[in-house]
Amino acid sequence: MVELHNVKIKYPTGDGIENVTLKIGPGEIVFLVGPSGAGKSTVLKTIYMEERPVEGHVSVGEYNSLFIRKKDIPYLRRRLGVVFQDFKLLNDRDVFKNVSFVLEVIGAKSKDIKKRVLRSLADVGLSHKSRKYPAELSGGEQQRVAIARAIVNEPYLLLADEPTGNLDPDTTAGIMEIFERINARGTAIMIATHNYELVKKYRGRIIRIEKGKIL
């Protein structure tokens, strides 16, 4: 489903990744672990094609970084869900609107939008907070909104970049339980984290990256 083959990305600063090869199969949970600055975020960016390799290629379903046109990248991203450490919520919109925005952009029908948003909020346990604004939520609740937004379009792969990095242990456990439920329905998940002790508590394949290289 997703493959990085001998991918190399270099920045002017000299940072980047090189010779990265990995595969993510349907329904898998994969943990990409490594210290800050190791290249975890860059690997995720190559999958949703914010970064393009200078060598090698990335394939995501029917899309390939060697051939994809810029205008087709938004269609690729509709097949993916992305969760960020800093949530990236819209502060001037309530929880419902933060999640529905994803569907509105692609022109989904109002009836379908309401049904799918409410289902996603139920999945993350926030049905009762649909009319709250981000500033009225805890950090853990904001991350749950971000997850609901990422899954509302029923992606086949969910990418999470340090999704528990700013959360306390109890809240982290709750977020990880949500990921496990989502995965149990068949969605593949890749979680990038520096917390190796955390991932050892959960089932899933562990891939370590250090200094831009898969070990």
Side-chain angles (χ1 to χ4, degrees):
M1 179 173 64
V2 176
E3 180 180 0
L4 280 71
H5 182 72
N6 289 333
V7 166
K8 179 179 180 180
I9 290 178
K10 282 293 182 183
Y11 302 130
T13 59
D15 297 326
I17 59 175
E18 56 183 277
N19 300 323
V20 171
T21 296
L22 60 87
K23 294 181 180 180
I24 306 171
E28 264 200 288
I29 290 185
V30 177
F31 295 102
L32 184 64
V33 301
S36 297
K40 301 185 299 296
S41 295
T42 301
V43 170
L44 268 58
K45 287 178 180 178
T46 63
I47 294 174
Y48 59 86
M49 297 196 190
E50 181 174 327
E51 299 287 352
R52 304 287 282 276
V54 294
E55 293 181 15
H57 69 267
V58 181
S59 61
V60 182
E62 68 269 33
Y63 298 99
N64 190 296
S65 62
L66 292 174
F67 312 112
I68 192 169
R69 297 171 297 181
K70 187 175 181 180
K71 67 178 184 179
D72 290 329
I73 291 177
Y75 295 97
L76 158 70
R77 292 176 180 169
R78 291 180 188 181
R79 309 293 303 277
L80 305 174
V82 185
V83 179
F84 301 95
Q85 181 178 357
D86 57 355
F87 316 137
K88 297 190 183 298
L89 300 180
L90 302 170
N91 292 321
D92 61 342
R93 304 185 186 207
D94 63 22
V95 166
F96 187 96
K97 286 292 186 180
N98 262 278
V99 179
S100 68
F101 176 74
V102 176
L103 300 175
E104 292 166 2
V105 166
I106 64 174
K109 295 180 180 179
S110 297
K111 182 178 180 180
D112 290 337
I113 289 175
K114 182 176 181 180
K115 179 180 178 180
R116 289 163 70 175
V117 170
L118 292 177
R119 182 174 59 202
S120 293
L121 290 176
D123 285 341
V124 300
L126 285 180
S127 299
H128 61 302
K129 299 276 180 103
S130 65
R131 295 306 174 190
K132 297 289 185 180
Y133 283 78
E136 301 176 279
L137 305 176
S138 68
E141 289 170 336
Q142 290 185 55
Q143 190 59 292
R144 291 185 184 203
V145 176
I147 295 171
R149 179 183 59 193
I151 65 173
V152 73
N153 206 28
E154 300 176 351
Y156 57 60
L157 174 63
L158 178 64
L159 302 170
D161 192 358
E162 296 283 7
T164 62
N166 295 327
L167 306 177
D168 62 71
D170 288 342
T171 305
T172 291
I175 294 296
M176 294 301 295
E177 288 173 6
I178 291 172
F179 284 136
E180 288 190 315
R181 290 200 301 271
I182 294 169
N183 175 254
R185 297 203 300 258
T187 301
I189 300 178
M190 185 175 198
I191 300 174
T193 178
H194 65 275
N195 191 341
Y196 186 69
E197 293 303 314
L198 170 68
V199 303
K200 289 195 295 184
K201 300 177 183 178
Y202 299 92
R203 64 177 180 85
R205 181 158 56 101
I206 299 175
I207 299 171
R208 183 167 181 82
I209 184 169
E210 192 168 310
K211 296 181 180 179
K213 295 182 179 180
I214 298 293
L215 303 181

